[in-house]
């Protein structure tokens, strides 16, 4: 019945769409038509936020883009000279790429699957056994340690879970730590196939029915397994359950450009609408970490895929070719460290891009066996996305070519072109703002892409030509940025390009105001200057990301209010309230007043948690004795104490729960971009300093009575 | 009137400290409290600002004139707060009291008289402190007490004492006929692993008899030495906080209504 309805709708819609796409119009008519469509969608969109309306908007937007592309293909590809023809065709291909990505991603995000946790069966004997893998290569023990300790805090029957460090670095201190903490340690004699090889090696030595993988900085919350494993029991053909990668440290873009503003970070689009959309078509893919995989499924494809440098996506693709299902649970159950500096971010994305293009070339999802048509489209979208570098650069340069060299890459009047382009551009921005507006604000996607574009051009081409080459590089994490500085090296091509754009804009404006000296089309100049100005803003924003702001704090500090006892040397024990805590220290209300004397120092602290008490030796930061808060540093935490702090800081199920972002507004977003650039250039930090904490104690007598109750 | 007895099979566990501080907490909340010392050490009075040289107590009055009644021994120890010291005693005096208490049964008994005669006001809360282990007074009060609070140390020695209480071995019958006994672990120091293990043991095996814990806190000793209340000495004392929690729980068990700092006796418990 549903299919029939769909068929019926298609019968009506398709001829209509065809008509809209192919009917030529003059500039004036096209303006009117475009504005009417925009107005109609505007109205429609404001009527309701229903999904049905969103689908219609997607449809209209795609239709208008198709109309534009049809116009481009049929009316604008006549050139006067060879150089113009070359540039013109390059631009056309770039636009075709963007158009294809638009089609694919429209399909991807059109239906988001809101997957819920499948509860675990009451009968614990039915719970499958799980191996928890923490692969590491060269990261410091300091980072890996807390991940492992958190894995030990996972709430799962102790006889059904085993935690392993997979150390590809063959480091003694890791083996020693594993023994002390009571987890398994697996290493190997070579490093063949990097992470995939590491995982495959470990698979031969362990026997859990399921494998949970956490990159060495991804600290899991304690309900991770109970939230993800249930689905494997319900669906015997489920091979993978992926959860979001969340970062508790700011990525370079957040730190250097958002400057404290509430803007969705880069990966929120992917770990929101995109993966949920993929999941709807049974095409959610593995992201290397924070996921659970069924061993039986991996065995069937011979373990993790080793041919590409993005073993994760490729492994998922392989599984799906064999008919295994995958799932994506949109619930933040683990958190890790974002790449610290812009240059590292670029290096990381370089690997992702190379890997995804490798898949595109070596195991193209469009062809080959086993995938459903929607799955092919989703995987194609994911892999093709990483070709964005070339078109991005083209879009940046094309208007400059016209303004400086007079190379006209489009045939036809500027007015007509604009009339066609306007509804196409506006509609695609508008729909994506509506659908993704809580996960990605307008124009930011362009900024992220532009930041990566220049550095990715050559790797992209190299891999396209020779896909079998390419090494896996590990992203450095957990570093610090001590001093503010401008990493001009990371954005050198951007700077050159920005200078070029600026020059061409000025040149263009000169041309505009002195038309007597130049032979130019004034409308075209105006259009290209406007286009360049837009490009320049985005490029400038990307450049600002390289203005590294210091990030001195080594340990993550979480605001958390808990009762704490302060032990002084004399034996006096006082109650206070913990206000924030990190792995290296904490801050509490100063309740000691003038009692903190030189001869009665604080020796220990006792933090009361739901899980018992944590007692630790602490050194008071001496200059805090007379301030509102006492600050302490912890020295030499033993493993058990450390595990308890990890449990407290990182493993509460609601640790990473955050309010959703405000819905995007295209215009506001553009001004936000400008404001970010301004603040970055003037080095202003818009994050407001938090005022003094409210002085309510962490726990009152009433709280305790409520918690403990009166015995019967 | 509700009667709280504070006793323990063991000495030096904080009975007197707890009795006195409970009295302070209750009286500060608005209840009228009488605190009575049945320990020949005669040290309870020191928590109520009584001078060291003031050595008379109920035992002196009792032995001089058994019919004199208690009221003469009462000393005001603060707002809403009264203390009846034991008094400096001789062997003979103690034996005389013991023999009266020994056959202290029925409605005309000594304690019963005491209850009726002087403190028939049902809004008065009575807290009695005892010497460690068995004492005739402890046995005698079991007929009139509503609840017995038993401090114990959070160390290994206490583990065996849990069963002493469970089997009513202290006075060979229940410590009272109403709510029974409740254990308080005192001198808790979580820095000592054994301390934590004993707490876990108590939680695991005697959860319904465990009223709470009191942290080991030198503020208690300092305050006692200065004859000040603990929170007067250290406003944020952990022991003072713990004792307040315990006081509230006792109020809950006795069905006291604690409202806005005023402790009101719940009408239904007035029949006792
Ligand atoms: N929580 C505590 N922290 C520190 N010191 C305490 C604590 N509780 C009691 N004390 C100290 O322990 C000592 C013994 O306490 P207390 O006299 O109350 O015990 P007791 O059981 O009444 O002793 P006894 O059996 O001799 O009557 C006192 O010096 C008291 O100040
Ligand atoms: Mg005593």
């Amino acid at each position: 019945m549903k299919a029939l309805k769909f068929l019926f709708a298609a019968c009506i819609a398709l001829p209509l769409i065809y008509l809209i796409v192919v009917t030529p119009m003059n500039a004036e008519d096209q303006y009117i038509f475009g504005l009417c469509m925009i107005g109609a969608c505007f109205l429609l969109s404001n009527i309701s936020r229903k999904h049905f309306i969103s689908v219609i908007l997607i449809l209209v937007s795609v239709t208008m883009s198709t109309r534009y592309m049809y116009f481009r293909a049929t009316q604008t590809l006549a050139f006067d000279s060879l150089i113009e023809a070359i540039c013109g065709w390059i631009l056309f291909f770039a636009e075709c790429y963007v158009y294809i990505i638009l089609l694919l991603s429209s399909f991807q995000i059109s239906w988001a699957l809101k997957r819920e946790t499948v509860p675990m069966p009451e009968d614990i004997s039915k719970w499958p056994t799980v191996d928890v893998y923490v692969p590491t290569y060269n990261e410091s023990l300091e980072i890996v340690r807390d991940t492992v300790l958190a894995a030990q805090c996972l709430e799962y029957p102790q006889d059904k879970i085993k935690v392993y460090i997979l150390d590809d670095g063959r480091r003694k201190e890791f083996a020693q730590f594993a023994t002390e903490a009571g987890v398994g340690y697996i290493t190997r004699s070579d490093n063949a196939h990097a992470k995939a090889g590491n995982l495959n090696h470990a698979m031969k030595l362990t026997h859990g029915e399921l494998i949970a993988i956490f990159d060495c900085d991804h600290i899991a919350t304690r309900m991770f397994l109970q939230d993800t494993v249930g689905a494997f029991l319900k669906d015997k053909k489920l091979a993978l359950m992926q959860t979001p990668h969340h970062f508790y440290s700011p990525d370079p873009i957040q730190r250097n450009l958002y400057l404290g503003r509430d803007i969705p970070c880069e990966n929120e689009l992917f770990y929101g609408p995109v993966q949920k959309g993929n999941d709807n078509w049974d095409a959610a893919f593995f992201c290397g970490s924070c996921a659970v995989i069924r061993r039986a499924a991996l065995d069937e494809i011979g373990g993790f895929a080793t041919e590409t440098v993005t073993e994760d996506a490729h492994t998922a693709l392989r599984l799906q070719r064999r008919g295994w299902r995958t799932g994506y649970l949109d619930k933040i159950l683990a958190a890790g460290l974002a790449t610290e500096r812009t240059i590292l971010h670029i290096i990381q994305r370089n690997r992702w891009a190379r890997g995804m293009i490798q898949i595109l070339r070596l195991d193209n999802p469009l062809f080959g066996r086993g995938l459903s048509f929607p799955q092919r489209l989703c995987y194609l979208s994911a892999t093709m996305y990483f070709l964005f570098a070339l078109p991005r650069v083209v879009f940046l340069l094309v208007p400059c070519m016209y303004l400086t060299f007079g190379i006209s890459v489009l045939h036809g009047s500027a007015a007509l072109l604009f009339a066609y382009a306007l509804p196409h551009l506006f509609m695609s921005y508008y729909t994506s703002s509506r659908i993704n507006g809580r996960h990605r604000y307008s124009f930011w996607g362009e900024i992220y892409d532009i930041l990566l574009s220049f550095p990715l051009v050559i790797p992209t081409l190299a891999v396209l030509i020779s896909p079998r080459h390419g090494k896996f590089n590990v992203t450095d994490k957990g570093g610090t940025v001590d001093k503010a500085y401008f990493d001009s090296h990371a954005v050198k091509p951007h700077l050159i390009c920005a200078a070029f754009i600026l020059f061409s804009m000025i040149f263009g404006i000169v041309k505009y105001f002195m038309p007597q000296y130049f032979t130019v089309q004034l409308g075209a100049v105006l259009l290209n200057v406007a286009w360049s100005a837009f490009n320049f803003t985005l490029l400038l924003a990307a450049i600002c990301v390289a203005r590294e702001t210091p990030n001195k704090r080594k340990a993550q500090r979480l605001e958390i209010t808990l009762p704490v006892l302060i032990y002084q040397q004399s034996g006096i024990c006082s109650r206070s309230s913990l206000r924030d805590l990190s792995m290296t220290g904490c801050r509490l209300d100063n309740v000691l007043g003038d009692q903190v004397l030189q001869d009665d120092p604080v020796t220990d602290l006792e933090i009361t948690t739901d899980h018992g008490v944590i007692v630790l030796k602490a050194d008071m930061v001496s200059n805090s004795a007379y301030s509102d808060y006492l600050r302490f540093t912890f020295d030499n935490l033993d493993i058990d104490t450390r595990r308890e702090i990890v449990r407290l800081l990182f493993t509460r199920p609601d640790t990473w729960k955050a309010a959703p972002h405000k819905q995007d507004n295209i215009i506001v977003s553009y001004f936000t971009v400008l404001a970010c650039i301004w603040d970055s250039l003037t080095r202003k930090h818009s994050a407001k300093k938090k005022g003094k904490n409210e002085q309510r104690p962490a726990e009152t007598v009433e709280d305790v009575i409520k918690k403990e109750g009166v015995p019967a | 009137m509700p009667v709280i007895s504070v006793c323990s099979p063991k000495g030096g566990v904080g009975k007197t400290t707890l009795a006195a501080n409970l009295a302070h907490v209750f009286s500060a909340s608005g209840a009228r409290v009488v605190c009575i010392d049945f320990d020949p050490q005669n040290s309870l009075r020191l928590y109520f600002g009584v001078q060291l040289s003031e050595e008379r107590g109920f035992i002196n009055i009792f032995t001089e004139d058994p019919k004199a009644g208690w009221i003469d021994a009462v000393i005001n120890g603060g707002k809403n707060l009264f203390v009846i010291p034991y008094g400096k005693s001789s062997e003979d005096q103690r034996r005389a009291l013991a023999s009266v208490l020994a056959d202290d049964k029925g409605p005309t008994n000594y304690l019963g008289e005491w209850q009726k005669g002087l403190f028939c006001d049902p809004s008065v809360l009575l807290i009695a402190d005892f010497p460690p282990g068995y004492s005739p007074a402890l046995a005698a009060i079991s007929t009139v007490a509503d609840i017995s609070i038993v401090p114990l140390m959070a160390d290994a020695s206490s583990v065996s004492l849990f069963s002493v209480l469970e089997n009513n071995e202290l006075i060979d019958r229940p410590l009272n006929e109403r709510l029974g006994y409740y254990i308080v672990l005192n001198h808790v120091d979580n820095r000592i692993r054994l301390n934590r293990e004993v707490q876990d043991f108590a939680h695991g095996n005697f959860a319904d008899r465990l009223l709470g814990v009191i942290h080991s806190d030198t503020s208690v000793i300092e305050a006692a030495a200065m004859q000040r209340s603990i929170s007067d000495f250290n406003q944020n004392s952990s022991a003072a906080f713990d004792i307040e929690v315990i006081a509230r729980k006792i109020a809950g068990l006795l069905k006291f209504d604690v409202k806005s700092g005023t402790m009101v006796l719940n009408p239904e418990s007035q029949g006792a």
Side-chain angles (χ1 to χ4, degrees):
Chain A
M1 191 59 208
K2 222 175 172 180
L4 220 64
K5 261 192 209 162
F6 182 77
L7 217 66
F8 182 68
C11 283
I12 297 183
L14 281 178
L16 194 70
I17 291 174
Y18 176 77
L19 268 180
I20 295 177
V21 169
V22 301
T23 310
M25 288 185 192
N26 62 25
E28 200 172 313
D29 291 349
Q30 169 64 20
Y31 270 125
I32 293 169
F33 174 65
L35 289 176
C36 283
M37 292 305 272
I38 290 173
C41 286
F42 203 69
L43 274 179
L44 206 60
S45 173
N46 280 313
I47 288 174
S48 102
R49 290 214 43 89
K50 282 221 176 77
H51 178 241
F52 170 67
I53 306 268
S54 298
V55 175
I56 293 185
L57 285 176
I58 293 178
L59 217 63
V60 175
S61 153
V62 166
T63 307
M64 295 312 277
S65 298
T66 311
R67 175 170 167 76
Y68 169 77
M69 287 310 290
Y70 184 80
F71 159 77
R72 281 281 278 124
T74 52
Q75 295 185 42
T76 63
L77 294 177
F79 305 105
D80 299 334
S81 68
L82 184 64
I83 180 88
E84 283 191 356
I86 292 172
C87 292
W89 278 101
I90 288 178
L91 175 65
F92 183 65
F93 280 132
E95 283 186 83
C96 285
Y97 166 83
V98 171
Y99 175 66
I100 292 170
I101 290 293
L102 177 80
L103 288 184
L104 290 174
S105 66
S106 296
F107 175 74
Q108 244 179 327
I109 60 168
S110 55
W111 268 275
L113 184 67
K114 294 192 188 82
R115 193 182 274 270
E116 297 282 335
T117 297
V118 178
M120 299 295 291
E122 296 270 306
D123 179 3
I124 291 190
S125 68
K126 293 211 179 81
W127 294 19
T129 52
V130 182
D131 292 330
V132 179
Y133 287 173
V134 181
T136 164
Y137 172 56
N138 61 1
E139 300 85 357
S140 73
L141 181 57
E142 209 174 315
I143 292 175
V144 183
R145 189 167 48 184
D146 296 340
T147 306
V148 172
L149 295 177
Q152 289 186 293
C153 298
L154 284 167
E155 290 191 2
Y156 209 74
Q158 282 312 301
D159 55 328
K160 292 193 175 237
I161 177 173
K162 289 213 175 70
V163 179
Y164 298 94
I165 303 177
L166 316 186
D167 179 20
D168 247 8
R170 294 180 285 281
R171 287 160 292 180
K172 232 202 216 111
E173 75 266 26
F174 275 62
Q176 194 184 341
F177 165 73
T179 317
E180 280 170 34
V183 300
Y185 176 80
I186 296 177
T187 188
R188 54 181 182 150
S189 49
D190 63 352
N191 292 350
H193 301 308
K195 184 174 165 189
N198 194 3
L199 295 171
N200 285 336
H201 174 253
M203 273 182 67
K204 289 192 213 109
L205 303 175
T206 72
H207 308 284
E209 293 161 63
L210 299 177
I211 296 171
I213 297 171
F214 296 103
D215 271 355
C216 68
D217 59 311
H218 280 145
I219 306 184
T221 56
R222 54 181 172 251
M223 295 305 280
F224 182 93
L225 289 178
Q226 293 194 38
D227 274 341
T228 49
V229 167
F232 287 88
L233 293 169
K234 194 173 148 205
D235 180 356
K236 295 287 174 216
K237 283 303 276 178
L238 185 75
L240 164 83
M241 185 58 79
Q242 178 67 51
T243 70
H245 289 188
H246 173 79
F247 300 116
Y248 61 85
S249 65
D251 65 33
I253 302 155
Q254 284 177 296
R255 205 180 67 245
N256 302 334
L257 193 56
Y258 293 3
L259 299 168
R261 285 188 177 78
D262 181 32
I263 303 169
C265 72
E266 190 223 12
N267 68 10
E268 284 181 50
L269 178 66
F270 177 76
Y271 289 109
V274 174
Q275 276 281 53
K276 282 199 278 188
N278 283 342
D279 197 16
N280 180 61
W281 305 111
D282 187 21
F285 64 85
F286 177 41
C287 304
S289 175
C290 310
V292 182
I293 306 192
R294 192 190 291 272
R295 175 186 286 270
L298 278 173
D299 284 342
E300 209 182 296
I301 58 163
F304 292 89
T306 53
E307 290 85 346
T308 61
V309 294
T310 45
E311 80 297 336
D312 38 18
H314 197 193
T315 303
L317 179 63
R318 287 247 171 107
L319 289 169
Q320 304 224 275
R321 284 197 191 283
R322 291 285 191 135
W324 289 96
R325 277 190 283 273
T326 62
Y328 174 71
L329 181 67
D330 185 27
K331 193 168 172 187
I332 299 173
L333 296 173
L337 293 168
T339 44
E340 200 62 47
R341 281 175 291 135
T342 308
I343 185 74
L344 298 174
H345 172 81
I346 294 173
I347 292 171
Q348 181 194 46
R349 296 314 153 92
N350 185 326
R351 173 166 68 79
W352 293 8
R354 284 187 294 124
M356 293 308 246
I357 298 169
Q358 279 183 312
I359 296 176
L360 195 63
R361 286 279 277 106
L362 300 176
D363 196 1
N364 193 307
L366 203 51
F367 314 111
R369 263 193 291 204
L371 297 184
S372 70
F373 186 62
Q375 284 177 328
R376 290 180 196 278
L377 295 185
C378 290
Y379 275 94
L380 188 67
S381 173
T383 47
M384 265 186 74
Y385 165 75
F386 280 96
L387 293 172
F388 67 81
L390 298 162
R392 264 302 148 216
V393 172
V394 170
F395 293 138
L396 288 176
L397 294 181
V398 160
C400 306
M401 299 302 260
Y402 179 75
L403 293 173
T404 34
F405 304 120
I407 299 175
S408 173
V409 292
L410 295 152
H411 175 84
S413 82
L416 187 64
L417 207 70
F418 188 64
Y420 271 91
L422 182 71
H424 150 63
L425 290 173
F426 181 85
M427 292 292 304
S428 50
Y429 270 111
Y430 190 71
T431 357
S432 104
S433 169
R434 173 181 161 114
I435 294 172
N436 303 328
R438 285 189 191 278
H439 301 271
R440 170 71 54 87
Y441 286 172
S442 301
F443 311 110
W444 287 99
E446 284 82 339
I447 296 171
Y448 306 141
D449 286 357
I450 287 174
L451 173 64
L452 299 174
S453 60
F454 294 99
L456 285 190
V457 169
I458 290 174
T460 304
L461 287 172
V463 178
L464 266 179
I465 294 162
S466 163
R468 290 196 191 274
H469 293 98
K471 248 180 53 209
F472 188 99
N473 53 319
V474 174
T475 316
D476 285 339
K477 283 184 176 178
T480 57
V481 179
D482 300 326
K483 255 193 355 242
Y485 70 102
F486 181 58
D487 189 356
S488 59
H489 184 71
V491 289
K492 205 187 266 165
H494 305 71
L495 286 168
I496 296 169
C497 182
F500 182 39
I501 293 179
L502 201 61
F503 169 78
S504 61
M505 275 198 307
I506 295 169
F507 198 44
I509 292 168
V510 170
K511 278 183 180 175
Y512 186 80
F513 285 107
M514 293 185 239
Q516 59 271 39
Y517 301 107
F518 303 96
T519 49
V520 287
Q521 249 189 316
L522 290 187
V525 171
L526 213 56
L527 199 63
N528 278 296
V529 168
W531 186 3
S532 279
F534 177 68
N535 279 342
F536 186 72
T537 327
L538 302 184
L539 184 58
L540 201 59
I543 289 170
C544 286
V545 175
R547 283 178 74 90
E548 300 283 2
T549 47
N551 183 18
K552 284 205 194 93
R553 183 169 288 161
K554 264 204 125 129
Q556 185 58 24
R557 201 163 276 270
L558 291 188
E559 274 181 27
I560 179 168
T561 299
L562 284 174
V564 59
L565 298 184
I566 307 173
Y567 291 94
Q568 282 168 267
Q569 200 162 53
S570 63
I572 287 180
C573 175
S574 308
R575 276 183 82 87
S576 175
S577 304
L578 183 73
R579 296 304 178 183
D580 69 36
L581 178 68
S582 75
M583 294 309 298
T584 57
C586 67
R587 182 172 63 107
L588 12 141
D589 289 357
N590 186 354
V591 295
L592 300 178
D594 49 9
Q595 281 173 46
V596 197
L597 301 168
Q598 288 294 311
D599 52 340
D600 192 6
V602 174
T603 57
D604 307 83
L605 297 176
E606 175 182 328
I607 302 169
T608 312
T609 75
D610 294 344
H611 206 266
V613 296
I614 306 175
V615 184
L616 29 82
K617 292 225 167 309
D619 289 329
M620 196 167 82
V621 178
S622 55
N623 65 7
S624 70
Y626 299 100
S627 65
D628 290 337
Y629 297 106
L630 298 174
R631 279 178 291 124
F632 292 90
T633 54
F634 307 146
D635 41 27
N636 287 325
L637 297 175
D638 61 80
I639 281 194
D640 292 329
T641 310
R642 206 177 165 87
R643 188 182 300 112
E644 289 315 309
I645 301 184
V646 166
R647 195 195 302 276
L648 190 61
L649 273 182
F650 296 106
T651 75
R652 280 167 298 117
D654 61 349
T655 306
W656 309 113
K657 215 164 150 187
H661 298 286
K662 279 213 292 275
Q663 175 67 30
D664 178 40
N665 176 309
I666 300 181
I667 296 171
V668 172
S669 183
Y670 192 72
F671 281 105
T672 310
V673 171
L674 294 180
C676 284
I677 295 172
W678 178 257
D679 285 353
S680 164
L681 293 179
T682 55
R683 286 244 176 273
K684 236 179 26 209
H685 207 279
S686 86
K688 284 173 209 89
K689 268 254 180 304
K690 286 221 178 74
K692 194 168 172 249
N693 257 323
E694 89 299 13
Q695 282 298 297
R696 190 191 178 279
E699 195 173 53
T700 61
V701 172
E702 282 76 16
D703 295 336
V704 176
I705 306 245
K706 219 181 275 163
K707 186 174 82 188
E708 295 181 356
V710 176
Chain B
M1 81 166 78
V3 176
I4 303 170
S5 67
V6 183
C7 57
S8 174
K10 205 172 144 97
V13 292
K15 296 180 293 295
T16 309
T17 308
L18 184 58
N21 282 290
L22 284 176
H24 280 292
V25 172
F26 284 126
S27 69
S29 305
R32 277 209 288 162
V33 183
V34 175
C35 211
I36 179 163
D37 192 357
F38 284 107
D39 187 348
Q41 278 183 65
N42 195 23
S43 58
L44 181 69
R45 64 204 171 106
L46 301 178
Y47 289 84
F48 297 91
V50 177
Q51 292 300 308
L52 214 59
S53 54
E54 172 68 59
E55 289 178 332
R56 278 174 68 82
F58 76 83
I59 194 153
N60 311 95
I61 293 164
F62 164 75
T63 44
E64 280 159 23
D65 173 13
K67 300 236 154 28
W70 296 81
I71 196 141
D72 297 344
V74 174
I75 296 175
N76 193 327
K79 190 167 179 262
N80 284 336
L81 194 53
F82 307 91
V83 58
I84 303 177
Y86 188 88
K88 188 178 175 182
S89 59
S90 67
E91 178 78 36
D92 287 345
Q93 287 174 315
R94 291 198 287 274
R95 208 172 293 133
L97 178 66
S99 70
V100 169
L101 291 173
D103 44 33
D104 192 10
K105 288 183 191 77
T108 54
N109 63 42
Y110 187 70
L111 287 171
E113 278 307 311
W114 159 55
Q115 241 186 328
K116 272 191 291 176
L118 287 170
F119 303 95
C120 52
D121 181 348
S123 69
V124 170
L125 186 66
L126 197 110
I127 301 175
D129 181 29
F130 292 90
Y134 175 86
S135 65
L138 184 61
I141 209 163
S142 67
T143 54
V144 292
D146 295 289
I147 187 169
S148 304
I149 307 300
V150 185
L152 290 175
M153 298 287 220
D155 60 19
S157 69
S158 298
V159 174
S160 62
L161 297 179
F162 287 133
S163 60
V164 168
L165 292 166
E166 206 177 17
N167 302 329
N168 299 321
E169 285 166 19
L170 193 51
I171 58 168
D172 294 322
R173 60 189 140 111
L175 286 167
N176 63 67
E177 286 155 16
R178 238 192 105 206
L179 296 168
Y181 71 93
Y182 285 92
I183 295 166
V184 169
L185 289 178
N186 190 12
H187 284 286
V188 162
D189 185 341
N190 285 319
R191 292 173 294 182
I192 302 164
R193 181 179 284 273
L194 184 65
N195 256 239
R196 296 210 292 262
E197 284 166 1
V198 172
Q199 287 175 69
D200 290 343
F201 173 82
H203 273 293
N205 299 286
F206 300 95
D208 53 342
R209 287 287 139 201
L210 189 65
L211 200 58
V213 302
I214 304 174
H215 284 84
S216 178
D217 177 1
T218 309
S219 310
V220 174
I221 302 168
E222 297 272 354
M226 296 159 77
Q227 291 214 350
R228 286 160 68 185
S229 78
I230 306 175
S231 41
D232 206 19
F233 170 75
N234 175 5
Q235 202 190 336
N236 297 292
S237 154
S238 60
F241 181 92
D242 298 335
I243 290 171
E244 196 171 333
V245 169
I246 287 164
R248 294 292 179 85
K249 287 185 182 173
I250 294 173
L253 288 165
L254 289 171
K255 300 222 160 28
F256 266 139
D257 196 9
V258 191
K259 270 192 199 129
S260 61
T262 335
M263 195 165 281
V264 195
L265 197 58
N266 191 311
E268 64 174 21
S269 68
Q270 285 183 10

